[in-house]
Amino acid sequence: MRGVGILGAVSSPPSLEVSGLAFAYPDGHQALFGVDLRIERGERVALLGPNGAGKTTLVLHLNGVHRAGAGEVRVGGLEVTREHVQEIRRRVGIVFQDPDDQLFMPTVGDDVAFGPANFGVTEPELSQRVSDALDAVGMADLADRSPMHLSGGQRRRVALATVLACDPEILVLDEPSTHLDPVARRELAEVLLGLDRTMLMVTHDLPYALQLCPRSVVIDGGVVVADAPTWDILADPDLLAAHRLELPFGFAL
Ligand SMILES: Nc1ncnc2c1ncn2[C@@H]1O[C@H](COP(=O)(O)OP(=O)(O)O)[C@@H](O)[C@H]1O
Ligand SMILES: [Mg+2]
């Protein structure tokens, strides 16, 4: 809901508001046990936790793939429900771990145009969206290339552009640094730091979380076990050990 501040200014709702979210898979396995998470517009937050913690299950609630068993999810104030699923999918831009899941058109430009065209954006705005999104990821020169002929780092950046072109309220990145060489990893970090977007980044790469996200949320066993400045979380060896999080060799705070 939009609130009116004391000076009469309209304040934006948080980009993401998850309250009391619980969920069990159809086989009865309960994966989330009452998750609360509020992310204000413009925040960049890392989502950390061991395998099986519930990270993917949580992410799949943000765009309506899974329906809350209890509790609710709101994106920019709009509740994730069946009626809102089209607008919710536009508002939640998920960059999947494997860019090959996201790129399927003959050219990079076609891939980036696909999402906004699907959401009803027409020319001349469509071309503008495509060029702005490719600019934002440093790929403006490659619009006519086939995504198949790009490097892994370039494909990851095109996948990011396909999502940015839809102008999402929140960008969700699933393990963005996996399988990237050090240069591509750093280039992607520079691109992400240059974006003015709310961001939720699922990662096992703790230095990446520190570089990109001032705040981190740790989830384990389907509940939030820590929500603090990333620096404080990484500087707490007991917390890290308790949740199977590990800094790389030689990395010390
Ligand atoms: N389709 C499914 N059916 C039943 N249980 C599942 C399914 N997918 C995941 N789970 C279980 O839910 C829990 C959370 O999984 P997940 O959200 O994938 O964790 P993470 O992404 O943090 O590794 C795990 O115990 C996992 O085994
Ligand atoms: Mg997962």
Side-chain angles (χ1 to χ4, degrees), residues 145-224:
R145 293 276 291 277
S146 160
M148 284 192 314
H149 299 146
L150 303 176
S151 70
Q154 288 173 325
R155 277 213 298 280
R156 186 82 39 108
R157 283 187 279 144
V158 174
L160 175 58
T162 66
V163 163
L164 289 176
C166 300
D167 191 22
E169 169 78 35
I170 182 167
L171 190 59
V172 181
L173 301 144
D174 190 4
E175 292 286 350
S177 63
T178 40
H179 307 308
L180 295 186
D181 66 40
V183 171
R185 177 179 175 280
R186 175 182 51 74
E187 286 170 347
L188 181 65
E190 286 165 3
V191 165
L192 293 172
L193 284 169
L195 300 177
D196 185 18
R197 286 278 160 190
T198 313
M199 208 177 284
L200 180 66
M201 185 173 101
V202 179
T203 191
H204 290 286
D205 183 340
L206 301 183
Y208 221 52
L210 184 64
Q211 182 182 2
L212 290 166
C213 302
R215 173 182 164 203
S216 286
V217 171
V218 181
I219 132 166
D220 199 357
V223 292
V224 172

Side-chain angles (χ1 to χ4, degrees), residues 15-253:
S15 286
L16 181 66
E17 212 172 1
V18 177
S19 357
L21 179 65
F23 175 78
Y25 279 100
D27 69 357
H29 183 90
Q30 188 160 351
L32 300 176
F33 291 84
V35 169
D36 295 302
L37 175 60
R38 182 185 167 101
I39 300 181
E40 300 299 339
R41 182 166 279 184
E43 273 196 288
R44 289 198 307 271
V45 179
L47 182 61
L48 312 175
N51 288 334
K55 304 181 295 295
T56 299
T57 307
L58 174 59
V59 164
L60 293 176
H61 277 84
L62 308 189
N63 72 347
V65 168
H66 293 328
R67 297 301 152 105
E72 65 169 33
V73 178
R74 286 180 182 272
V75 180
L78 184 69
E79 191 177 356
V80 178
T81 60
R82 202 175 296 278
E83 306 93 277
H84 300 151
V85 79
Q86 161 99 346
E87 172 61 10
I88 289 291
R89 299 249 158 109
R90 190 195 64 73
R91 290 189 186 199
V92 180
I94 302 187
V95 182
F96 293 102
Q97 189 163 4
D98 185 353
D100 296 340
D101 292 343
Q102 224 144 1
L103 305 177
F104 48 85
M105 298 292 276
T107 72
V108 164
D110 292 340
D111 258 325
V112 178
F114 184 85
N118 207 32
F119 290 118
V121 176
T122 52
E123 296 294 356
E125 195 193 335
L126 187 57
S127 296
Q128 191 62 49
R129 292 264 195 123
V130 171
S131 66
D132 289 350
L134 287 173
D135 266 342
V137 303
M139 298 284 293
D141 301 339
L142 300 175
D144 298 326
R145 293 276 291 277
S146 160
M148 284 192 314
H149 299 146
L150 303 176
S151 70
Q154 288 173 325
R155 277 213 298 280
R156 186 82 39 108
R157 283 187 279 144
V158 174
L160 175 58
T162 66
V163 163
L164 289 176
C166 300
D167 191 22
E169 169 78 35
I170 182 167
L171 190 59
V172 181
L173 301 144
D174 190 4
E175 292 286 350
S177 63
T178 40
H179 307 308
L180 295 186
D181 66 40
V183 171
R185 177 179 175 280
R186 175 182 51 74
E187 286 170 347
L188 181 65
E190 286 165 3
V191 165
L192 293 172
L193 284 169
L195 300 177
D196 185 18
R197 286 278 160 190
T198 313
M199 208 177 284
L200 180 66
M201 185 173 101
V202 179
T203 191
H204 290 286
D205 183 340
L206 301 183
Y208 221 52
L210 184 64
Q211 182 182 2
L212 290 166
C213 302
R215 173 182 164 203
S216 286
V217 171
V218 181
I219 132 166
D220 199 357
V223 292
V224 172
V225 294
D227 182 347
T230 303
W231 180 279
D232 296 352
I233 286 179
L234 300 200
D236 184 341
D238 296 335
L239 176 75
L240 295 182
H243 303 292
R244 297 183 60 81
L245 299 171
E246 202 158 294
L247 291 165
F249 176 78
F251 191 97
L253 293 180

